[in-house]
Amino acid sequence: MRKPADPPAAPPQAPEADDAALFRQAIGEVRRVHSQTPAPQKPRPRPRARMAEHDEQAALSEFRRGLEAMPIEAGDTLSYHRNELPARIWQRLKRGQFSIQDELDLHGATAAQAEQLLRMFLREAQRAGTACIRIVHGKGLGSDADIPVLKNVVDRVLRQRADVLGFHSAIPAQGGTGAVVVLLSARRPGSP
């Protein structure tokens, strides 16, 4: 007896076609979503406290006008201290009993240069942990202005700094009213 003939074999399908058919069968019916993706936008700027900035600028401007209205004269003594500075430390500063650790001489600088140099010097002194510095500003006798410009700049900048505990014109042996000795607060841990 003869065997019946085998049915003709189906032509082999490409494996990609099988995978695609299996995938479509697994996910079921699909519907197309027609949406447009929004165009990329710039990130919004961080919010600023504009009123606080304005108030601070106004206060600083008023402070500067007050200082300019009553300029310091050539022979005047620079003197200022924060309330938290103990009285005995303040007296020692006035008597010139602190060892000067660093010095900045502003002779020959313009007012703008002096202010920039002084701010950089104070920042570096604070980073280095320096406690007592001397700033030589001169008496302003050779200045074209009627007032000692650098002396007034130094006084204004030092009064604005939170890291300045106090300052006083130097004793005559350290420069007299042509220099100022400054006590700085200790560097806070973690501050740059």
Side-chain angles (χ1 to χ4, degrees):
M1 188 160 160
R2 281 178 97 188
K3 271 183 163 187
D6 289 331
Q13 292 184 347
E16 297 90 32
D18 286 344
D19 290 342
L22 285 173
F23 177 74
R24 276 195 238 66
Q25 183 182 9
I27 62 170
E29 187 178 328
V30 178
R31 64 182 172 92
R32 183 174 292 269
V33 177
H34 297 284
S35 69
Q36 295 179 356
T37 57
Q41 296 178 353
K42 290 182 182 178
R44 287 186 167 189
R46 297 184 131 220
R48 288 181 20 213
R50 288 189 181 108
M51 290 305 293
E53 289 174 5
H54 177 70
D55 290 346
E56 190 169 320
Q57 285 292 349
L60 184 59
S61 175
E62 186 66 31
F63 178 74
R64 285 186 175 167
R65 273 194 300 268
L67 285 177
E68 291 167 1
M70 298 176 5
I72 297 166
E73 299 294 326
D76 291 349
T77 299
L78 297 183
S79 184
Y80 169 82
H81 70 92
R82 296 197 179 278
N83 292 335
E84 62 263 21
L85 187 67
R88 64 180 170 60
I89 303 287
W90 174 238
Q91 291 304 318
R92 286 185 59 207
L93 178 65
K94 287 171 43 174
R95 290 185 200 124
Q97 296 176 336
F98 281 95
S99 174
I100 308 294
Q101 296 171 308
D102 206 352
E103 180 177 284
L104 173 66
D105 190 344
L106 296 174
H107 278 106
T110 65
Q113 291 168 339
E115 185 170 349
Q116 183 180 13
L117 288 169
L118 180 56
R119 290 185 190 281
M120 288 178 5
F121 179 71
L122 290 168
R123 187 172 44 249
E124 289 304 314
Q126 181 73 21
R127 282 187 186 144
T130 306
C132 186
I133 59 173
R134 178 174 45 215
I135 300 162
V136 180
H137 48 71
K139 295 183 181 182
L141 300 176
S143 174
D144 293 337
D146 293 339
I147 60 168
V149 176
L150 296 181
K151 188 172 187 174
N152 280 277
V153 167
V154 168
D155 183 68
R156 177 176 49 84
V157 170
L158 292 178
R159 287 177 188 267
Q160 293 173 353
R161 298 283 301 209
D163 56 348
V164 173
L165 294 174
F167 59 88
H168 196 277
S169 287
I171 61 173
Q174 294 177 340
T177 58
V180 64
V181 179
V182 183
L183 281 181
L184 299 173
S185 63
R187 182 179 176 205
R188 292 181 204 100
S191 64

